[in-house]
């Protein structure tokens, strides 16, 4: 099974879980991670922002958000 397919499946499954209960920070983080792997950076940022809104100290989401911002050129690599 190709890697992209697995990330796509993961994103869909976590998305369904979020529809049931949108108040779980880890679900938004996991969706953001899958979206990053699928190169859907702006969508990943939305999920990561949701995670951080629910759990402001979520260090993994904060770090991945920084990576996403670098990927779209909103943070120069030299600053990050």
């Amino acid at each position: 099974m190709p890697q992209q397919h697995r990330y796509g499946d993961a994103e869909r499954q976590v998305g369904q879980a979020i529809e049931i209960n949108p108040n779980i920070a880890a679900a938004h983080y996991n969706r953001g991670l899958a979206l990053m792997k699928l190169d859907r950076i702006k969508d990943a940022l939305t999920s990561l922002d949701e995670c951080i809104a629910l759990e402001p100290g979520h260090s993994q989401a904060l770090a991945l958000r920084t990576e996403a911002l670098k990927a779209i050129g909103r943070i120069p690599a030299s600053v990050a």
Side-chain angles (χ1 to χ4, degrees), residues 11 28-29 31-52 61 64-75:
E11 187 274 328
H28 291 281
Y29 169 76
R31 187 173 193 206
L33 180 61
L35 288 164
M36 285 287 290
K37 297 292 186 180
L38 293 167
D39 290 323
R40 292 175 50 194
I41 309 300
K42 290 183 180 181
D43 293 330
L45 279 168
T46 300
S47 290
L48 295 168
D49 287 343
E50 288 291 328
C51 174
I52 294 164
L64 190 57
R65 186 176 189 281
T66 300
E67 285 183 41
L69 290 171
K70 283 193 312 189
I72 61 171
R74 290 189 38 202
I75 294 180

